[in-house]
Amino acid sequence: MKRLTAILLVATAAISFYGCQHELNIPLEAIDVEFEIPSTIDLEPGTTTLDFQIKDGKAPEPDDLLILNGPRGQYYCQITELSDESFTIRLYDNFANGEHKITIQRGLATAYKGSSTINIEKYDDGVHAATGSTVYGRVSCDGEAISGVVISDGVKVVKTDENGIYQMKSDKKNGYVFISVPSGYQVPVDVVLPVMWYPLTLAATTPERADFELIRSKDQTNFKLLVFGDIHLANRNSDKKQFQYFLDDVKDYRSKNSGKLIYGLTLGDMTWDRYWIDNKFSFPEYKNLMKTLSGMPIYQTPGNHDHDIYQAGDFLTIKAYRKYLGPSYYSHNIGNIHFVALDNIHCMNPGENKQAVYDNNIVEEQLNWLREDLKHVDKNTPVIVSMHAPAHHNPMGTDKAETIRNNVANQLLDAFSGFKNVQLFTAHTHVIYHVTDRNITEHNAGAICATWWWSGKYYQGVNVCTSGAAGGYTIVDVNGTDITYKFKGTQMDENKQFYTFDRNQIALKASTYVPNANEANLAEWVARVGRWKNANSDNYVYINTWNWDHKWKIEVTEKETGKKLETEFMTDFSPLHLVAHSAKRLNGSGNPNFLTSDGCILHRVKASKANTTLIIKVTDRFGNTYTEEMKRPKEFSPEAYAAY
């Protein structure tokens, strides 16, 4: 083990993990581990490990983690060697010199231990800043230079030369530089975050070096992308418990598809700004929970609730996000696909009174960056774009969520003019719909949290969105340049694509479901209950397809008679969401938030008898078929639709 020559500190007290008042404290529990932390640690070039001397025989356990919170954010470091006197950790990839706060973690318990300025000396390999350059570096893999790689600071866009070297005259406004990871390569992954960016910590006029060491990937021609809409973790509504079901679901899906390349993509609102302090949950806690999916690269996209309501203006409100999750907009490549993540939340917070004031907008600087980035992409290349707020309204129902400004939507579409295949994934609405406009197909991708975790709190396993769709995520399959997709409900088989309702079993009377509602809440219930209010014996069956578009086909046959039934398309309020969520919110005088919307996609058929069994066959736009043998009478209650 290398000797650490510095003034030694012995950290014994548990103190705040963060220095900024508006950021959260990680919950602290007693972990009886003591070790020496030098105030300064200077390491030799190429060092990848770090040693600590144990104090008073209080050694860590082999599975403990050391969290280094430094210039590049928060990283988890494993213990690689352990004795009675000392232990060794592996430093995170693309290590950034500077001050690091050091915390030890055991399970979900953490204890802050101190801080140290850690510096790894650089080799003099002849790479130096050119005249006028303020950011420069080298991109390589296994020591070999990689040319033609796109590098950006969020304003300027440059490429590496034949020696893998790039030079940039940057004002370092955003405080980082990132790499548009080229096809055939990957970057190191910290828990689930691809490390494709490097912090810039020196003065704007001081030349600063940022290197990127890439990892060769196996064939990326075919891969899977799991797309996660609004998560809204806030340490409330048993959300962490429910989120674990989602994590287990994704973990199981990865296991069933072992050997395949699988990536993740979030669409914003991973956290909930108003609860960062009150409920002590923000980005570090989110990242901690994501450890279940360790090793799976998950690219992040910011949402309106991932902005800091205690800061003023657009630039400062995204600062915490960038510190812990990385750039708020960027690009990268996997196989034959170019990816672009955008931040289309423009904050105008006054910075006081916890006010969230924002506009769904892509600011001009970001649009300029996008145009520059796309200059380096062949227009025959399929592009997958992610952003939080949608570009288009939901064509189903009357509940129209906020979209980006029309002029901005047109500028976004114009930026992709000439591209043959652009798939845009958005969130924000907590429903599912698809819109094609020119060469862009937008997929509003539902929500992991469904109705902000409420229905799952009321009824375990009933995680349902306001439109009636199940809570879950989108599975995108990429085969060369061919892109297909399907929706997967959490803890549901991926072939489960719809709910069925036996109308004979539904009677949503106010006296049954909202007997204690005040006048205003009763009026809300009556406005939504509509066709579901009274008992009915007309033998109608309703099929609620979650991910439907106009190219889907619904076929229904009576099992006993072989008779094919004619289907009738409509949208309405989901009876399941009405009883699983709205009834709970309206039964009293409480605040009726997140009530059922009228975008539930339904196909209705009329069966011959009350006990007729129906064979329902649904075919999606890609020719995948999903079937259900619906035995009737079919019970209607929230519990009957629980996924677990």
Side-chain angles (χ1 to χ4, degrees):
M1 292 185 177
K2 296 182 178 64
R3 177 178 295 175
L4 307 181
T5 56
I7 301 172
L8 298 181
L9 302 175
V10 180
T12 58
I15 65 175
S16 172
F17 187 76
Y18 307 119
C20 299
Q21 184 177 356
H22 72 276
E23 295 181 304
L24 301 178
N25 296 322
I26 288 182
L28 302 180
E29 296 184 19
I31 300 177
D32 195 18
V33 174
E34 300 296 342
F35 52 94
E36 296 175 344
I37 302 179
S39 62
T40 302
I41 302 174
D42 294 318
L43 301 173
E44 298 174 0
T47 300
T48 58
T49 60
L50 178 59
D51 306 334
F52 291 98
Q53 300 299 311
I54 295 168
K55 294 286 293 182
D56 303 325
K58 296 181 178 181
E61 296 182 358
D63 292 333
D64 288 348
L65 294 173
L66 242 66
I67 304 173
L68 298 185
N69 188 24
R72 302 199 66 182
Q74 176 179 288
Y75 290 85
Y76 294 79
C77 302
Q78 294 179 327
I79 294 175
T80 58
E81 296 181 36
L82 177 63
S83 70
D84 292 337
E85 293 80 27
S86 64
F87 66 93
T88 302
I89 64 168
R90 181 185 180 279
L91 294 174
Y92 60 87
D93 295 290
N94 289 339
F95 182 85
N97 288 344
E99 183 182 8
H100 287 74
K101 296 177 181 179
I102 301 173
T103 297
I104 191 165
Q105 175 169 309
R106 180 175 299 162
L108 293 179
T110 60
Y112 175 78
K113 289 299 177 183
S115 66
S116 177
T117 298
I118 307 173
N119 298 306
I120 300 178
E121 296 179 19
K122 300 288 186 181
Y123 290 109
D124 185 0
D125 55 2
V127 180
H128 302 287
T131 302
S133 178
T134 58
V135 181
Y136 69 101
R138 186 170 185 263
V139 179
S140 60
C141 178
D142 297 330
E144 297 181 3
I146 307 176
S147 63
V149 180
V150 172
I151 308 289
S152 178
D153 64 350
V155 179
K156 302 288 182 65
V157 178
V158 301
K159 295 177 76 171
T160 58
D161 64 17
E162 65 275 9
N163 298 312
I165 298 170
Y166 71 92
Q167 303 280 351
M168 184 186 301
K169 186 177 181 180
S170 171
D171 62 9
K172 306 182 186 180
K173 173 185 176 181
N174 293 318
Y176 53 67
V177 62
F178 59 85
I179 182 171
S180 185
V181 183
S183 295
Y185 297 92
Q186 294 186 180
V187 289
V189 176
D190 175 46
V191 185
V192 296
L193 300 180
V195 186
M196 44 72 175
W197 62 287
Y198 201 95
L200 302 174
T201 58
L202 302 182
T205 57
T206 302
E208 193 165 357
R209 180 169 177 172
D211 294 340
F212 293 95
E213 178 70 23
L214 301 180
I215 303 166
R216 278 193 174 82
S217 173
K218 65 179 183 179
D219 184 13
Q220 295 177 332
T221 305
N222 303 328
F223 63 90
K224 289 179 177 288
L225 177 71
L226 308 184
V227 182
F228 309 139
D230 297 62
I231 299 174
H232 277 284
L233 289 167
N235 195 24
R236 65 196 287 271
N237 290 351
S238 69
D239 56 359
K240 290 193 290 185
K241 177 182 177 181
Q242 294 185 66
F243 186 63
Q244 190 61 51
Y245 289 114
F246 158 77
L247 293 173
D248 292 343
D249 185 280
V250 175
K251 185 178 179 180
D252 180 64
Y253 184 83
R254 292 174 67 195
S255 177
K256 290 177 179 177
N257 291 275
S258 61
K260 298 182 179 179
L261 283 177
I262 301 179
Y263 301 86
L265 174 66
T266 65
L267 298 177
D269 284 4
M270 287 73 72
T271 63
W272 198 336
D273 46 359
R274 65 175 294 187
Y275 296 105
W276 285 5
I277 291 180
D278 294 348
N279 291 12
K280 296 181 172 57
F281 194 98
S282 185
F283 301 121
E285 291 77 16
Y286 161 70
K287 185 176 174 182
N288 186 44
L289 287 180
M290 295 296 281
K291 286 191 303 181
T292 297
L293 305 180
S294 289
M296 172 179 159
I298 302 180
Y299 291 87
Q300 309 291 318
T301 309
N304 55 296
H305 290 293
D306 297 318
H307 289 70
D308 191 341
I309 60 176
Y310 292 92
Q311 297 290 340
D314 192 49
F315 186 78
L316 291 179
T317 57
I318 198 65
K319 185 177 180 181
Y321 176 96
R322 287 173 165 176
K323 177 179 180 180
Y324 294 107
L325 301 187
S328 55
Y329 58 91
Y330 57 92
S331 70
H332 65 101
N333 303 273
I334 303 175
N336 298 314
I337 311 299
H338 185 65
F339 286 80
V340 174
L342 298 174
D343 174 10
N344 67 351
I345 305 300
H346 178 214
C347 279
M348 299 162 284
N349 292 359
E352 55 191 21
N353 301 325
K354 294 171 53 174
Q355 292 186 35
V357 182
Y358 65 90
D359 185 16
N360 296 323
N361 182 24
I362 304 173
V363 298
E364 188 64 27
E365 181 177 87
Q366 191 178 161
L367 283 169
N368 289 337
W369 166 84
L370 175 62
R371 296 180 187 110
E372 289 299 311
D373 177 80
L374 293 178
K375 287 180 181 178
H376 302 284
V377 184
D378 188 286
K379 291 192 175 183
N380 290 314
T381 301
V383 183
I384 291 179
V385 184
S386 63
M387 62 187 194
H388 183 63
H392 302 88
H393 285 299
N394 181 4
M396 309 297 176
T398 59
D399 187 5
K400 304 300 185 184
E402 303 163 334
T403 62
I404 59 176
R405 298 177 184 175
N406 287 337
N407 64 315
V408 175
N410 288 328
Q411 290 182 69
L412 180 64
L413 291 168
D414 289 343
F416 289 99
S417 177
F419 282 85
K420 304 294 191 269
N421 183 3
V422 181
Q423 305 292 320
L424 170 62
F425 287 89
T426 59
H428 194 50
T429 68
H430 295 232
V431 301
I432 305 172
Y433 62 86
H434 309 274
V435 178
T436 297
D437 187 351
R438 290 187 248 176
N439 60 330
I440 293 182
T441 299
E442 178 173 359
H443 312 278
N444 200 254
I448 300 300
C449 73
T451 306
W452 294 262
W453 303 108
W454 279 106
S455 63
K457 176 185 178 181
Y458 296 138
Y459 300 98
Q460 180 173 313
V462 186
N463 203 23
V464 59
C465 298
T466 58
S467 65
Y473 55 98
T474 300
I475 301 169
V476 179
D477 279 291
V478 177
N479 296 287
T481 58
D482 186 37
I483 300 173
T484 61
Y485 51 87
K486 68 167 60 172
F487 186 80
K488 185 183 186 306
T490 298
Q491 291 293 335
M492 296 181 182
D493 187 281
E494 63 181 290
N495 290 317
K496 174 70 173 175
Q497 293 289 315
F498 55 89
Y499 292 128
T500 56
F501 305 118
D502 188 341
R503 180 65 185 87
N504 291 3
Q505 304 301 308
I506 302 174
L508 306 188
K509 293 183 177 295
S511 58
T512 302
Y513 287 94
V514 289
N516 301 315
N518 62 19
E519 184 176 348
N521 286 2
L522 179 60
E524 292 282 9
W525 177 261
V526 171
R528 285 166 172 76
V529 74
R531 74 174 71 241
W532 314 111
K533 178 180 178 180
N534 297 315
N536 188 291
S537 58
D538 290 339
N539 300 326
Y540 281 113
V541 166
Y542 291 81
I543 304 159
N544 170 207
T545 47
W546 312 323
N547 201 30
W548 183 88
D549 66 37
H550 68 282
K551 291 190 176 181
W552 283 46
K553 184 169 64 173
I554 315 291
E555 300 171 277
V556 183
T557 305
E558 292 186 347
K559 183 177 181 180
E560 294 84 357
T561 66
K563 177 183 177 182
K564 293 187 180 299
L565 304 181
E566 184 177 348
T567 62
E568 177 187 0
F569 174 81
M570 63 184 65
T571 60
D572 205 329
F573 296 92
S574 162
L576 178 59
H577 190 268
L578 282 167
V579 298
H581 176 75
S582 291
K584 291 287 188 179
R585 302 293 284 183
L586 295 173
N587 189 32
S589 57
N591 187 11
N593 289 334
F594 316 129
L595 298 181
T596 310
S597 64
D598 64 348
C600 184
I601 299 169
L602 298 166
H603 285 78
R604 183 173 75 168
V605 298
K606 184 177 176 64
S608 299
K609 299 177 181 179
N611 60 353
T612 302
T613 298
L614 301 183
I615 305 299
I616 299 169
K617 179 182 177 182
V618 176
T619 305
D620 69 15
R621 64 159 44 226
F622 303 112
N624 301 307
T625 59
Y626 315 102
T627 60
E628 177 185 327
E629 182 174 320
M630 182 184 181
K631 296 181 179 180
R632 300 171 54 250
K634 180 175 181 178
E635 176 190 353
F636 179 78
S637 68
E639 293 84 357
Y641 292 85
Y644 49 88

